[in-house]
Amino acid sequence: MVGVVGKPNTGKSTFFSAATLAPAEIGSYPFTTIKPNRGVGYVRTPCACKEFDVQDNPVNSTCIEGIRLVPVELIDCAGLVPGAWQGRGLGNQFLDEIRKADALIHIVDASGGTDSEGRICKPGEHNPLEDVKFLEHEITMWLANILKRDWPKISKTAESESKDLFSMLEERLSGLTINRSHILEAVRRTRLSAEKPTAWSEEEFLKFVDALRQIAKPMLIVANKIDIPAAQENLERLRNLNYIVAPCCAEAELALRRAAEKKLIDYRPGDCNFKVEKPEKLNESQIKALETIRDKILLEHGSTGVQDAINLAFFELLNMITVYPVEDVEHLSDHKGRVLPDAYLVPYGTTARQLAYIIHTELGESFIYAIEAREKKRVGEDYLLKDRDVISIISAKKRA
Ligand SMILES: Nc1nc2c(ncn2[C@@H]2O[C@H](COP(=O)(O)OP(=O)(O)O)[C@@H](O)[C@H]2O)c(=O)[nH]1
Ligand SMILES: [Mg+2]
């Protein structure tokens, strides 16, 4: 799950509404809304159907003219104000939400038109770089606070034989979607001693926690409100930070998706342009608004940025790839004859056998080998899946 975060009034809910407004082709997807602030968005990826030149019958995802939209879970987190880690504002609610997040999309008002607390001010008046620093600080302090309570005990025990540091931290942090490999990487990066944690200074402890935050809650920046002129200069400044930055106009994406939902325009999430389908149903001001979006956002920036941000979160921050498990490798279908029915998002590094386990525990347990459909090649359990692989798993048990 990916969390949409930031201070109040930057456009989080607008971004979230746009991202979770299902394209008309999907319409009544069974789990469009989970909770008011949880929803399903989509990553956009070229579908394997094009390359294999087949007509597909998607089941767990959608394919619109060769573009596969794979559902992903998003959460619209409560607005964050400075001091949240000490319980200020909706701090506790916010932190409870980012517990569950694998990555964060930080919505920043690039126009500088909202102050540090999220109150409206004149565009250009607030420096959005401060918002980035502030969010980093809040999350690091929240994590540090959680760990601090048990740190004396954890660090001492780590130096006796009974338990190692990694196992104890893993246990303590599992509820925060922080796993062992995150912890290992944070210790490696900070070059601190896992054998002698009692010797870590306060500063070193914070350095470790900050590294852990960067690894376990990777973040990208959405430079929103790019339609406001003052945003341009800030966009350049944000790009100098060490983050992926997606220029964005969430409001434009919401308008386009709403128009597409009513079939007034032809537009798929992430497209660089749209076509008016029913000009007779649009009044003059609507047409003008749409043309402004085309000129000032799509033609200038290549897209509204909403879809890019979601793709970047899953494909760059989380290193996901898309794979298509099939049962019949000749027809690329499942047992019901549906072609390329499912697209799975899995982290890069997933093996054929791990994929089998993801599909079904039993399939993982009875795995014999797999067939990669592109080369029609037999591969073993350790085969590293590649993006857009179509793969058939052969197991000892016949599947129901
Ligand atoms: N100009 C402009 N305004 C936007 C954009 N996205 C959101 N807004 C406006 O910013 C205000 C706050 O938006 P909202 O989504 O409620 O922010 P949240 O508090 O972060 O959830 C609203 O008036 C939105 O219409 C954008 O891309 N451009
Ligand atoms: Mg909101």
Side-chain angles (χ1 to χ4, degrees), residues 6-17 76-77 79 107 109 111 114 120 224-228 248-253:
K7 67 184 187 187
N9 275 320
T10 57
K12 295 181 299 299
S13 297
T14 308
F15 179 97
F16 176 83
S17 305
D76 179 14
C77 294
I107 313 283
D109 176 355
S111 76
T114 29
I120 309 295
N224 195 34
K225 309 197 185 183
I226 203 74
D227 53 300
I228 298 173
C248 180
C249 182
E251 233 170 39
E253 179 73 13

Side-chain angles (χ1 to χ4, degrees), residues 180-293:
R180 193 180 181 89
S181 69
H182 296 142
I183 300 162
L184 283 164
E185 176 61 14
V187 170
R188 190 195 66 81
R189 225 184 259 182
T190 46
R191 296 202 176 80
L192 290 162
S193 162
E195 282 78 45
K196 260 210 132 336
T198 57
W200 296 8
S201 67
E202 169 86 17
E203 198 189 324
E204 286 171 330
F205 172 78
L206 276 179
K207 223 173 97 187
F208 164 73
V209 175
D210 198 51
L212 190 59
R213 169 189 62 76
Q214 292 174 36
I215 295 157
K217 306 285 173 190
M219 183 163 98
L220 67 82
I221 295 173
V222 164
N224 195 34
K225 309 197 185 183
I226 203 74
D227 53 300
I228 298 173
Q232 203 51 45
E233 194 185 326
N234 283 326
L235 173 63
E236 299 314 318
R237 294 156 83 187
L238 287 164
R239 281 195 165 129
N240 287 331
L241 298 174
N242 209 5
Y243 281 103
I244 297 172
V245 178
C248 180
C249 182
E251 233 170 39
E253 179 73 13
L254 190 57
L256 292 174
R257 289 212 195 181
R258 283 188 173 146
E261 188 188 27
K262 298 194 192 92
K263 304 226 155 73
L264 299 170
I265 63 169
D266 182 19
Y267 172 77
R268 296 165 303 186
D271 276 356
C272 59
N273 211 335
F274 62 85
K275 204 170 103 214
V276 176
E277 295 280 24
K278 298 198 175 114
E280 70 281 4
K281 289 211 171 156
L282 291 163
N283 63 37
E284 215 165 293
S285 75
Q286 286 171 313
I287 291 188
K288 200 165 159 239
L290 285 170
E291 289 310 326
T292 305
I293 290 175

Side-chain angles (χ1 to χ4, degrees), residues 78-98 138 142:
L80 192 65
V81 294
W85 67 277
Q86 293 154 311
R88 233 187 124 224
L90 293 171
N92 293 327
Q93 186 191 331
F94 171 84
L95 297 167
D96 195 50
E97 287 160 350
I98 62 164
E138 289 296 327
W142 163 69

